[in-house]
Amino acid sequence: MSDPSTSPTSRMTLECRVPEMDCPSCAGKVTNSIERLEGIEAIEPQVTSGRLVVEYDPELASEDDIRARVRAAGYAIADDETEFTVSVPDMDCASCANKVENALERVDSIEEIETRPASGRVTVSGVSDLEMPVVIDAIDDAGYEGKPIEDGDDGVVESRAVWRSRRALGTAVGAVFVAVGMVLEFLLPALDPALITAFGRTYGLSEALFIGAVAVAGVPILRNGYYSARNRSLDIDFLMSVGIVASVAAHHPFEGAMLAVLFSVAELLERFSMDRARDSLRELMNLSPETATVRREDGTEEVVAVDSLEIGDTVVVKPGEKIPADGAVTDGQSAVDQSPITGESVPVDKTAGEEVYAGTIAESGYLEVAVESEADDSTIARIVRMVEDAERESTKREQFVDRFASVYTPIVVVLAVAVAALPPLLVGASWNTWFLRGLTLLVIACPCAFVISTPVSVVSGITSAARNGVLIKGGRHLEAVGESEILAVDKTGTLTTGELNVTDVIPLEGADEDDVLARAGAIERRSEHPVGEAIVGAAEERGLASDAIGDEPDSSDEFAVSNFEALTGRGVRADLEGVTHYVGKPDLFDGLADLEHVHATDGGTVLESEPERAEWDHESIPSCDREDCLDVLSEVVPKLEADGKTVVVVGTEDGPLGVVAVADQVRPEASWAVSQLQEQGIRVVMLTGDNEGTARAIAGEVGIDEYHAELMPEEKLEWIRRLKGDGDAEPDERLEANAVAGDAGEVSASSFSRSVAMVGDGINDGPALATATTGIAMGAAGTDTALETADIALMSDDLTRLPYLYRLSGKANDVIRQNIWASLGVKAVLAAGAPFGIVTVIHAVVIGDMGMSLGVTGNAMRLAREEPAAAEAEFGSTHADAEFGPEGEAETRGDE
């Protein structure tokens, strides 16, 4: 790496596509290769999009050097490719997308095509001489209007006034023609005059009106049908066009008119429904403001477009305004509503030095924020990109639907032709009757509702989750969570805050709590151990200063401490007030002081322990006349360690002054979340590298019946495989013994489900998260690694989102199954009734096409209403109210 002091202004950025870099392992190899170069400032491999962004010092490295290192890692760079994204507003279904793809595939210079009906966009890439007009012309050849997406445009099609469009007007006119024609033909035939005789047939006014309805309402259908035939696409437009033309040609203008009008209504309704789905994606994109107020170096303020913000700019945010960019607060204080990013229901106080995210709202105060990322690389921008990527990823059910539809449609079309032609040819049946029945089957042949049943559900579920602080990286992950019956949970940083806190202070031999904390804090300021940092933090919270121990601070330290020495694996030693003090494990005092016979100070209390531990049961030692005797080693230490706490003794060679207990705090919502998961039938298993006692205490506190402790990363991975039932992985006897009593100790592979989800911090638990069926990362907001590697990311450190995720996933799977089987069932019933004349063309359109398309879309939109439960009402506090941070690592007192 280059010198970190390199001026940011001397940096350059290389962005290139590495298509085969499609997993964290690939990204690691590319990163390791590039890091060998001097002058590399930052490397950001984006696995989901196959892009690589490298910041480098041009005086020490070049683009050619970086490209060479990528190739040396075994990956090709798509140097010569050009990429365009085009907005195609009318491409709002799978059938439309297929026609556009077929048209683009005929362009030789186009190599990759991605159609996104959910957002109405097409992205193409190809050789360097590929030009936008060529792409637009190809889309026009498919019968759709395409337009380039300008800079600053989010690319999602604007909601259209569907019911005031030209097609809606034509459909309305056609409907009037059909209504008047029906009155004349069926109710008032005497008023239905003959107008013309042609081709041996006489056409009355009603029939002229029916043909007029076809001409007005059916033109868009016939146009699309033409393009379908041109692009060899056996879709709904082609089938409807054939049906309409055949009806009129066979002297059935009424049926043709009904097809044209009803199908146009169905198309308008489908567009309206798709606009609703697109709006949910647009809501995410509209979270960030369009403008920002920048404070210049001379103190002046200027309103600029958010897209023009540069890293290092200082933006001013007033109460009620949205924060325009990811960055760090440099001045001011405000409660910030982070719910658009993290889903937290309670605003979080932000002060100088703390991170804030674009799209969040400063509710009560003024902030100055130093911009740390550009608009297109903010957390919300990455979320939107990943949601779009997730929408176009096929789930296993969607793949099944596509395969089924590719077989179903041709078979039913052949049956429709057979029904129309064979009875009249073979047995002399009525051509008129059997033509109508064949026409009905032709309409039923379109699997429109069946095909959209899964993607519309996935779009609704993923966007709903994103609005509630859960980023799901693909439809298959949305499915997989609901299918998993086992959730493996990391302890540190997941069930607990990951930050050590002082929980108990037990003063001895006449000292008081403040005295014990002040002395321990003064010495531990020289230590970098997490336990020492927790003690220092507790002393600072109590405002304990140097006068608490009768010393004034010298010029270099808040307390006059001398001769500090770290005692490896045991604690620390230092001179305080001219007396040598010790702070460390109980065994540090072996040979120094008697811990088996000490006297508790009257009024000694605990800070955050359970109420029943507020006072210790003192049993007088026979050789001592006092009643406040304590045996620290046999009474105090075992009780504290049984609660998963680390015990530190503070004292001198003359004796102990007090006992301090430190522990990693359980998240306030952890117990509630675990109970909610268990009520849903999820088997929760805790996997931790912490010691047996701590694991047992935490598991008992949150209500987990099975845990496995003292696991190295490879042993966690082994347990994930074991829970999945993969291979011959056999946990050793020690691992089996860590399971809580009961059936948790049974580890036969055959007794476990093969679908296992795991939640962890996204980095330390990487191997286990990758091995699990679904990996869920905690607290991913602003964390590139977690966003890139996790299958699902909880944007805040909030365990209440886990029960919500399982509920949403289960409901999504139910909705998808309902949509698929309802579509199949209705099509089957209609197809069975068509040959017998029970089902008519009107039934086929109104029920089989329009009705089912609306039905599956409406059913899928129910997912958008799924919200997290009001967890704070259940466990008494919210995550935002808890005074615990997400950083740090809980561990037993070790090397200093």
Side-chain angles (χ1 to χ4, degrees):
M1 288 289 188
S2 63
D3 184 352
S5 65
T6 302
S7 170
T9 58
S10 68
R11 294 181 180 178
M12 293 189 68
T13 301
L14 169 65
E15 181 173 346
C16 55
R17 292 185 69 246
V18 186
E20 295 178 355
M21 185 184 67
D22 54 9
C23 67
S25 175
C26 301
K29 283 188 282 188
V30 171
T31 300
N32 291 338
S33 181
I34 296 174
E35 284 177 341
R36 299 177 187 175
L37 288 174
E38 187 178 3
I40 302 300
E41 301 291 339
I43 306 171
E44 183 183 355
Q46 300 173 357
V47 176
T48 54
S49 59
R51 293 188 178 277
L52 177 68
V53 180
V54 181
E55 290 185 10
Y56 64 97
D57 183 346
E59 296 181 0
L60 300 175
S62 67
E63 284 193 13
D64 291 340
D65 294 334
I66 297 170
R67 292 174 186 273
R69 292 314 309 165
V70 175
R71 296 187 183 99
Y75 296 87
I77 300 175
D79 301 274
D80 302 325
E81 288 193 355
T82 301
E83 183 175 280
F84 296 116
T85 299
V86 182
S87 174
V88 188
D90 292 332
M91 185 188 68
D92 51 14
C93 66
S95 174
C96 304
N98 287 334
K99 275 188 285 190
V100 172
E101 287 181 10
N102 290 339
L104 290 170
E105 284 173 354
R106 293 200 295 270
V107 179
D108 293 336
S109 54
I110 294 178
E111 296 178 350
E112 293 185 13
I113 305 167
E114 290 180 355
T115 54
R116 305 181 188 179
S119 55
R121 290 192 293 174
V122 177
T123 300
V124 298
S125 59
V127 296
S128 56
D129 59 354
L130 177 64
E131 297 179 349
M132 179 64 81
V134 176
V135 178
I136 298 295
D137 289 343
I139 293 173
D140 289 343
D141 287 342
Y144 296 89
E145 180 183 358
K147 60 179 182 179
I149 295 178
E150 304 294 338
D151 291 341
D153 186 357
D154 58 32
V156 177
V157 175
E158 292 282 356
S159 295
R160 300 159 291 181
V162 172
W163 306 114
R164 294 194 298 272
S165 65
R166 180 181 299 178
R167 183 165 190 176
L169 178 61
T171 302
V173 172
V176 172
F177 284 179
V178 169
V180 174
M182 291 175 66
V183 170
L184 292 175
E185 181 169 345
F186 300 112
L187 298 180
L188 303 171
L191 300 179
D192 186 14
L195 295 182
I196 189 173
T197 300
F199 307 107
R201 295 180 181 275
T202 299
Y203 293 89
L205 178 58
S206 61
E207 291 172 316
L209 288 171
F210 294 145
I211 293 174
V214 169
V216 176
V219 167
I221 303 171
L222 298 174
R223 177 179 178 273
N224 290 339
Y226 161 75
Y227 283 109
S228 296
R230 182 174 172 178
N231 289 284
R232 298 183 296 278
S233 179
L234 188 64
D235 60 12
I236 185 64
D237 292 317
F238 175 77
L239 297 177
M240 286 294 180
S241 297
V242 170
I244 291 170
V245 172
S247 296
V248 175
H251 198 59
H252 289 286
F254 169 67
E255 282 75 11
M258 291 299 293
L259 273 179
V261 172
L262 291 176
F263 182 65
S264 290
V265 172
E267 288 286 280
L268 291 169
L269 288 170
E270 186 174 290
R271 286 191 181 186
F272 177 74
S273 298
M274 183 54 70
D275 282 347
R276 292 281 303 276
R278 287 174 176 173
D279 285 344
S280 64
L281 182 59
R282 180 173 292 281
E283 286 178 13
L284 293 176
M285 295 181 169
N286 288 341
L287 289 175
S288 296
E290 296 181 356
T291 61
T293 303
V294 179
R295 169 163 290 176
R296 301 302 183 188
E297 293 182 358
D298 59 3
T300 61
E301 295 183 358
E302 179 183 0
V303 178
V304 301
V306 167
D307 291 340
S308 66
L309 290 176
E310 298 180 355
I311 296 174
D313 283 347
T314 297
V315 295
V316 173
V317 185
K318 298 177 182 178
E321 292 183 346
K322 288 183 178 179
I323 296 172
D326 285 5
V329 177
T330 57
D331 190 23
Q333 180 176 353
S334 175
V336 175
D337 177 5
Q338 296 193 146
S339 59
I341 302 295
T342 66
E344 291 171 297
S345 59
V346 179
V348 179
D349 290 331
K350 296 289 184 179
T351 57
E354 295 187 301
E355 284 189 341
V356 291
Y357 309 116
T360 56
I361 303 169
E363 290 200 336
S364 59
Y366 169 90
L367 294 175
E368 291 185 9
V369 178
V371 177
E372 293 183 344
S373 67
E374 297 179 353
D376 60 355
D377 196 39
S378 67
T379 299
I380 189 63
R382 293 202 302 274
I383 291 173
V384 170
R385 284 199 298 270
M386 290 176 183
V387 169
E388 292 178 313
D389 290 342
E391 289 174 355
R392 71 170 185 264
E393 181 185 75
S394 295
T395 69
K396 62 183 181 183
R397 289 189 177 92
E398 192 172 355
Q399 293 167 358
F400 159 74
V401 166
D402 291 339
R403 290 194 302 268
F404 183 89
S406 66
V407 176
Y408 163 84
T409 302
I411 289 177
V412 180
V413 169
V414 171
L415 286 176
V417 174
V419 166
L422 291 182
L425 291 175
L426 296 179
V427 298
S430 169
W431 280 99
N432 184 66
T433 299
W434 288 98
F435 171 81
L436 292 177
R437 295 178 181 180
L439 178 63
T440 302
L441 263 182
L442 191 69
V443 174
I444 294 170
C446 176
C448 196
F450 180 57
V451 169
I452 69 170
S453 59
T454 299
V456 73
S457 303
V458 168
V459 169
S460 182
I462 288 177
T463 53
S464 172
R467 286 196 303 270
N468 287 290
V470 180
L471 178 59
I472 302 174
K473 303 281 282 295
R476 61 190 177 94
H477 304 308
L478 178 65
E479 285 183 340
V481 170
E483 293 171 349
S484 65
E485 297 178 1
I486 301 176
L487 176 64
V489 185
D490 175 49
K491 180 187 75 69
T492 305
T494 302
L495 291 173
T496 65
T497 64
E499 183 174 274
L500 295 176
N501 290 273
V502 172
T503 60
D504 304 80
V505 178
I506 305 167
L508 304 171
E509 304 297 354
D512 59 28
E513 291 181 19
D514 286 353
D515 187 45
V516 173
L517 273 180
R519 292 177 184 275
I523 297 172
E524 290 285 10
R525 288 182 191 280
R526 303 290 184 91
S527 169
E528 296 180 354
H529 194 278
V531 171
E533 292 175 358
I535 293 174
V536 172
E540 290 178 345
E541 285 179 7
R542 289 198 171 196
L544 300 178
S546 57
D547 56 4
I549 57 171
D551 243 342
E552 292 296 327
D554 61 22
S555 61
S556 61
D557 202 329
E558 185 175 351
F559 289 103
V561 177
S562 60
N563 299 324
F564 176 86
E565 180 182 0
L567 306 174
T568 303
R570 302 176 69 193
V572 295
R573 174 175 58 198
D575 290 343
L576 189 63
E577 296 179 309
V579 178
T580 301
H581 285 64
Y582 297 84
V583 181
K585 292 180 177 180
D587 61 12
L588 174 62
F589 288 82
D590 288 348
L592 291 176
D594 182 10
L595 298 183
E596 296 179 354
H597 182 193
V598 298
H599 302 100
T601 300
D602 290 341
T605 62
V606 296
L607 297 182
E608 300 175 11
S609 193
E610 300 174 358
E612 60 267 23
R613 293 204 181 279
E615 295 185 5
W616 298 89
D617 295 328
H618 310 310
E619 294 184 3
S620 179
I621 296 176
S623 60
C624 182
D625 295 333
R626 298 177 59 174
E627 297 182 354
D628 57 356
C629 297
L630 275 179
D631 185 336
V632 171
L633 295 180
S634 63
E635 294 181 23
V636 179
V637 173
K639 289 180 180 180
L640 293 173
E641 289 184 343
D643 288 339
K645 300 174 182 179
T646 298
V647 180
V648 174
V649 178
V650 183
T652 67
E653 294 181 359
D654 294 332
L657 298 174
V659 175
V660 178
V662 176
D664 183 6
Q665 296 293 287
V666 173
R667 295 187 186 278
E669 73 275 18
S671 179
W672 179 89
V674 169
S675 68
Q676 290 291 303
L677 290 167
Q678 291 170 339
E679 286 181 11
Q680 295 180 45
I682 308 303
R683 174 182 163 199
V684 183
V685 180
M686 185 176 76
L687 304 179
T688 178
D690 215 331
N691 63 74
E692 165 73 15
T694 300
R696 180 173 56 252
I698 298 298
E701 184 171 350
V702 301
I704 293 178
D705 297 324
E706 179 180 353
Y707 69 90
H708 306 286
E710 301 178 20
L711 303 179
M712 299 296 289
E714 60 271 18
E715 292 174 322
K716 283 188 180 181
L717 181 132
E718 180 180 296
W719 263 107
I720 292 294
R721 288 175 176 166
R722 191 64 185 165
L723 292 171
K724 291 173 66 177
D726 288 348
D728 298 322
E730 289 291 343
D732 60 33
E733 293 181 1
R734 178 179 59 82
L735 299 182
E736 291 187 28
N738 280 332
V740 174
D743 59 2
E746 299 297 327
V747 291
S748 171
S750 62
S751 66
F752 292 110
S753 166
R754 298 186 66 85
S755 182
V756 178
M758 179 176 179
V759 58
D761 60 17
I763 301 173
N764 297 335
D765 298 311
L769 287 170
T771 303
T773 309
T774 306
I776 305 171
M778 284 281 290
T783 307
D784 294 343
T785 303
L787 283 176
E788 290 289 339
T789 58
D791 299 322
I792 297 174
L794 308 183
M795 301 307 291
S796 67
D797 291 311
D798 188 353
L799 289 174
T800 64
R801 290 303 181 265
L802 282 175
Y804 160 74
L805 172 61
Y806 269 87
R807 256 195 339 271
L808 177 69
S809 179
K811 189 171 182 178
N813 285 339
D814 289 341
V815 165
I816 291 171
R817 282 192 292 266
Q818 291 163 6
N819 284 350
I820 290 175
W821 292 112
S823 301
L824 280 177
V826 169
K827 289 287 186 182
V829 171
L830 293 176
F836 301 100
I838 300 173
V839 176
T840 67
V841 170
I842 296 176
H843 294 127
V845 175
V846 173
I847 300 175
D849 183 65
M850 178 171 60
M852 286 310 302
S853 293
L854 287 175
V856 299
T857 302
N859 194 32
M861 294 307 291
R862 291 192 299 122
L863 296 175
R865 299 194 296 270
E866 188 71 22
E867 298 287 343
E872 59 272 15
E874 299 289 341
F875 58 80
S877 70
T878 63
H879 171 68
D881 292 330
E883 298 178 354
F884 307 128
E887 305 298 329
E889 184 73 15
E891 42 182 286
T892 305
R893 181 79 167 192
D895 294 351
E896 291 278 4

